[in-house]
Amino acid sequence: MFRKETNERSPVRVFERSIHGGLGRGNIGVVCSRAGVGKTAFLVGVALDDLMRERKVLHINTVDPVEKVRAFYDEVFQELAESEKLKDRPTIHLAMERNRMIHTYRHGAFSVAKVHSAIEFLREHMFFQPDAVMIDGYPDWDTASEQQLRELKELAAQLRAELWLTALTHRDDKDLDERGVPRRISRFEEYLTVIVRLTSVADHVKLQLVKDHDNPDVADLHLELEPTTLLLRWR
């Protein structure tokens, strides 16, 4: 199968239709789950779909080194290429590498100001302007401030990029809103356009759409994350 066909039949198309065309430039999406359930896999799946459409992606990680993040991308890409019998894999993989940048800010080194500086450098020297930004591990929602969320929203707007964040939930979370979202996350709802929750169920991970822009009726995604291959799939 060729890249265009693979992209057209991607489960991400189902996801985009469910949220009325996608997250949208200048908006923030959040994927939340307990540790180890699949937040990073979700981000990488969405990023790979963007890269398959020749969009540029900046992936930021606040925990792992660049090599580990790159290896995770390679693993998921190989699983995708194998499952879709993707043709001309080396050429596609090289093109995707050129359209993706990975930056890590470990041990509390992350700041929106540093991201702005990095992007200015990428623009000036590498002609790289991200269409999507994936931030894995920031902010710490237990201590997050309105200023942090405002800065992230302004970053997305200034870049005209879709921005995805992860949010760690806990088994003992008790202060939940009526949808089951911890209030330490939902208290920033005015800055969040889409919220997705991942839940481990038997041999798969269920995707639940919690917030879809300002739409009162939230769709059932009918999607899941396969924990062995780390790929999104229909259910």
Side-chain angles (χ1 to χ4, degrees), residues 48-65:
L48 283 175
D49 185 81
D50 279 330
L51 293 167
M52 294 278 281
R53 289 187 283 174
E54 300 182 338
R55 300 179 76 202
K56 290 181 168 56
V57 173
L58 172 62
H59 189 113
I60 296 170
N61 191 290
T62 64
V63 177
D64 299 314

Side-chain angles (χ1 to χ4, degrees), residues 64-130:
D64 299 314
V66 170
E67 295 77 13
K68 185 172 181 178
V69 179
R70 183 180 292 115
F72 197 98
Y73 267 89
D74 289 345
E75 179 183 354
V76 178
F77 173 74
Q78 292 303 326
E79 290 287 355
L80 175 65
E82 185 63 30
S83 67
E84 297 295 327
K85 302 295 186 287
L86 191 61
K87 300 182 184 298
D88 202 10
R89 298 179 196 181
T91 300
I92 294 172
H93 186 264
L94 180 60
M96 293 170 67
E97 287 273 323
R98 288 172 175 166
N99 283 326
R100 184 203 65 211
M101 293 291 171
I102 299 172
H103 287 191
T104 58
Y105 299 90
R106 304 170 68 192
H107 311 299
F110 178 93
S111 74
V112 173
K114 289 180 180 179
V115 175
H116 274 296
S117 297
I119 291 173
E120 284 304 313
F121 179 87
L122 293 174
R123 281 172 171 164
E124 182 177 350
H125 298 284
M126 304 184 72
F127 307 103
F128 185 94
Q129 168 74 34

Side-chain angles (χ1 to χ4, degrees), residues 70-195:
R70 183 180 292 115
F72 197 98
Y73 267 89
D74 289 345
E75 179 183 354
V76 178
F77 173 74
Q78 292 303 326
E79 290 287 355
L80 175 65
E82 185 63 30
S83 67
E84 297 295 327
K85 302 295 186 287
L86 191 61
K87 300 182 184 298
D88 202 10
R89 298 179 196 181
T91 300
I92 294 172
H93 186 264
L94 180 60
M96 293 170 67
E97 287 273 323
R98 288 172 175 166
N99 283 326
R100 184 203 65 211
M101 293 291 171
I102 299 172
H103 287 191
T104 58
Y105 299 90
R106 304 170 68 192
H107 311 299
F110 178 93
S111 74
V112 173
K114 289 180 180 179
V115 175
H116 274 296
S117 297
I119 291 173
E120 284 304 313
F121 179 87
L122 293 174
R123 281 172 171 164
E124 182 177 350
H125 298 284
M126 304 184 72
F127 307 103
F128 185 94
Q129 168 74 34
D131 298 293
V133 180
M134 310 295 173
I135 303 181
D136 196 351
Y138 181 90
D140 178 349
W141 296 90
D142 290 322
T143 59
S145 67
E146 186 167 355
Q147 179 180 347
Q148 288 176 308
L149 270 294
R150 187 184 302 115
E151 288 178 349
L152 289 169
K153 181 68 173 177
E154 290 171 354
L155 174 67
Q158 290 168 13
L159 295 177
R160 295 195 68 255
E162 296 182 344
L163 193 155
W164 281 97
L165 307 174
T166 59
L168 178 64
T169 60
H170 309 289
R171 185 183 301 274
D172 57 354
D173 278 326
K174 292 184 173 59
D175 188 13
L176 309 174
D177 67 15
E178 65 279 1
R179 302 162 303 178
V181 178
R183 293 190 190 278
R184 57 195 168 78
I185 299 170
S186 62
R187 64 193 169 113
F188 299 112
E189 188 141 345
E190 65 178 289
Y191 301 101
L192 310 177
T193 301
V194 171
I195 302 175

